[in-house]
Amino acid sequence: AYGIVSLRGRAELSRQVRQNTLILNSVGEGIFGLDREGRVTFINPVAMVLLQLTEDEIVGQVIHPLHHHPKADGTPYSGQECPIYAAYQDGIIHQVTDEVFWKKDGTSFPVEYVSTPMHDEKGELVGAVVSFKDISERLKSEELIRNILECVDEGFIIIDRDFKILSANKAYTRLVELPIEKIIGNFCFEVSHHCDKPCSEVGCDCVAQHVFATGESHSSTHRHENMKGEPSYIATSAYPLSKDSAGQVLTVIETLVDVSEQHKLETQLRQAQKMEAIGTLAGGIAHDFNNILTPILGYSELVERQLPPDSPERGLVLDIKTAGLRAKELVKQILTFSRQADQEHQPVQIHLVIKEALKLLRSTIPTTIAINQDVVDCGMVLADPTQIHQVLMNLCTNAFHAMRESGGELSVSLVMVELSAHDTLDNLPLVPGPHVKLSVKDTGGGMSKKMLERIFDPYFTTKKVGEGTGLGLSVVHGIVVSHQGHITVTSREGHGSEFCVYLPQVKVDENGSDDENE
């Protein structure tokens, strides 16, 4: 019976050996075993091909002299300090991604390998199993990718699992405004987003973290401040670049594109669509309101005529009539904003209109506010003089309100500017050519970014109750657009505001007809 059990045990052992041999021979990576002295105990065919050694030449031999992988400084390791032995020295799995193995003919090739501790049935360390693969082709591909990335305008970086930047192209250095030596080896969240901790820990959508966790590509857009403290928008996308034998992502390639200008244009488009919708609504309401005002004003005038001059009721009727007339003026402003009021445009020497308005303005603004003017003859624009007058008065009134408590300087200038195709495409939606630029600048408290986004909305105002309707700037916007012009505003809290109105210049021929800049 003992002999039968022994035979069965030997047969089972033989079966396991054959099975293990089949597994070793079918694996696509090189595999060999090491004992505690660093001698090779077994090797699979793939490893023999890669090392150009036969089984008889390597089994039983110490692995180190056969393929002496050097240190980072180029000098060879000596004996047991080689990292390939770390698994059975420390008892933990050791992974290396940038080593070199040597072939029998003296040539070398780059490898990445995993050294796994091997235990006997008592749990004692008896050696290690090393699996490795030739990464020459991958490194060639990565080098090709790096060469290609240097030629593109998008910023590219390669990140490891610790979020450290391993590589970056020139476009990325320009994007973050840093030299390459201050980028490589630093954390991506510090360089790209100026954070002191990973993006995911500060509430941002970290694309690299998503790729490391799921192995799937991911994209997101971040808002942050550049080196000058100005807000910018960066579109980022991340993709897995390399993985270990278990399929875990080791490195990620991330692309970064500055989309601030695109975001600005999208914001302008949304604002234009919103203004158009509000204008249509306001025009309809204004017409209906006008129909209501007509009998109020008409009947109040009839009653006024029938009452004696000394009648107490006459004063009440006059108050009704005054309120109706004020409402009528409000309707006119709404119709101007919605561009549904009749307007007559004619060639106008705009500098004369501006100078006339400034004379009237000086008498209404306190002496604590200095008025600086630089108004020159800029030719003619096709405009309604009354509405241009209204534009300047409204802009200056807003500037006055911003400085009425602490005083300041109000600067008004009128100059001619030549807009190029570049200006048209990148900054202003205007036809290239000569334009008149009206600038109204104050030294008041300035406005926040949220306030700037709503500055031209009807009834949006920072004034107190009783100080205004909030229609001033929306009316200005409507007038400027109806003149085929454009208005911009720049402002920072504590640094004042500046409004710039651009109107196309026109030339008048000898017959008196106008030739508008097309």
Side-chain angles (χ1 to χ4, degrees), residues 70-126:
K71 302 177 184 178
D73 59 5
T75 60
Y77 290 101
S78 59
Q80 295 292 314
E81 72 169 307
C82 178
I84 203 168
Y85 303 132
Y88 61 73
Q89 289 176 341
D90 303 333
I92 59 175
I93 296 176
H94 193 77
Q95 182 171 346
V96 179
T97 59
D98 56 353
E99 284 289 357
V100 174
F101 278 6
W102 293 77
K103 301 179 182 179
K104 184 178 180 180
D105 63 5
T107 60
S108 63
F109 60 98
V111 298
E112 62 179 24
Y113 67 80
V114 177
S115 183
T116 305
M118 185 167 54
H119 301 80
D120 61 13
E121 62 275 5
K122 296 180 181 179
E124 295 182 0
L125 274 173
V126 295

Side-chain angles (χ1 to χ4, degrees), residues 6 25 56 98 121 139 157 166 184 189 206 209 218 232 234 285 343 346 396 460 465 483 490:
S6 178
N25 292 344
D56 293 336
D98 56 353
E121 62 275 5
L139 293 181
I157 53 175
L166 306 179
I184 303 300
F189 50 83
C206 179
Q209 174 64 35
H218 190 60
S232 60
I234 306 297
I285 295 174
Q343 302 172 19
Q346 59 190 22
C396 290
F460 173 76
V465 176
H483 284 72
T490 54

Side-chain angles (χ1 to χ4, degrees), residues 27 30 347 351 397:
V27 173
H351 72 287
T397 300

